[in-house]
Amino acid sequence: RTRGDSRAAVADAEGEGVVVFDTETTRLIDAHTRLEEMEVSCACAVRLPTREGVRRADALEKGEWKTFWHTDAHTSAGTNAEAGMQGLLAWMDQAKVIVCYNGHGFDMRVLQAAYAGDEERRAAHLAKLHDPMVEALRHSECKRAPRLSHLLRHAARSHARCCLQTHLLGRA
């Protein structure tokens, strides 16, 4: 999917929960390296519950957090760490929806080696991937995507303004 692609993620009716993830690679992006040739050093993910009885406001607290490390990484991250990307792919298998900022343009491409040629599995994950960056670009005049940190900072300011206005109006 690209900037102009209008297809939306399709929720997996058999899946449960939402997996939100981000990856980091073992080397920096350069003009001579295809993203598909890069290795993932780690992926941080949260599996959010979507079942009845879990309020949206409680989902982050009830979510399962995990860091998936490159198999050669030596970490003392404890019980919330797992070697290899297969655990992340298993979470994606089970998810109703997958969310990743720039997931189509970067993260799913650098994860390609983890699929070991299983294109059917990869296609199933891509079908249920929601990429907020695609939406940001679709509704933007910018040629470059906004950084996630800028979007979050703007959202926080907007939320604070909204809360302040609500509080002031509520007191009036």
Side-chain angles (χ1 to χ4, degrees), residues 133-150:
M133 184 179 198
V134 171
E135 292 300 314
L137 285 173
R138 186 177 299 128
H139 300 290
S140 171
E141 298 297 320
C142 300
K143 292 188 191 290
R144 291 186 58 190
R147 297 180 76 163
L148 182 57
S149 60
H150 295 160

Side-chain angles (χ1 to χ4, degrees), residues 65-67 76-82:
W65 298 79
K66 192 168 274 198
T67 303
S76 59
T79 59
N80 290 336
E82 185 171 316

Side-chain angles (χ1 to χ4, degrees), residues 64-140:
E64 182 181 356
W65 298 79
K66 192 168 274 198
T67 303
F68 301 90
W69 290 95
H70 186 285
T71 52
D72 292 341
H74 299 284
T75 178
S76 59
T79 59
N80 290 336
E82 185 171 316
M85 296 301 126
Q86 292 310 307
L88 175 61
L89 297 186
W91 274 20
M92 291 179 181
D93 292 339
Q94 299 162 5
K96 182 179 290 265
V97 175
I98 301 166
V99 179
C100 183
Y101 188 79
N102 197 17
H104 288 292
F106 182 77
D107 300 83
M108 292 302 287
R109 291 177 63 191
V110 298
L111 276 170
Q112 187 161 342
Y115 287 94
D118 190 344
E119 288 303 315
E120 186 176 325
R121 185 181 195 191
R122 187 170 182 274
H125 293 170
L126 286 169
K128 56 185 171 179
L129 176 65
H130 175 71
D131 185 344
M133 184 179 198
V134 171
E135 292 300 314
L137 285 173
R138 186 177 299 128
H139 300 290
S140 171

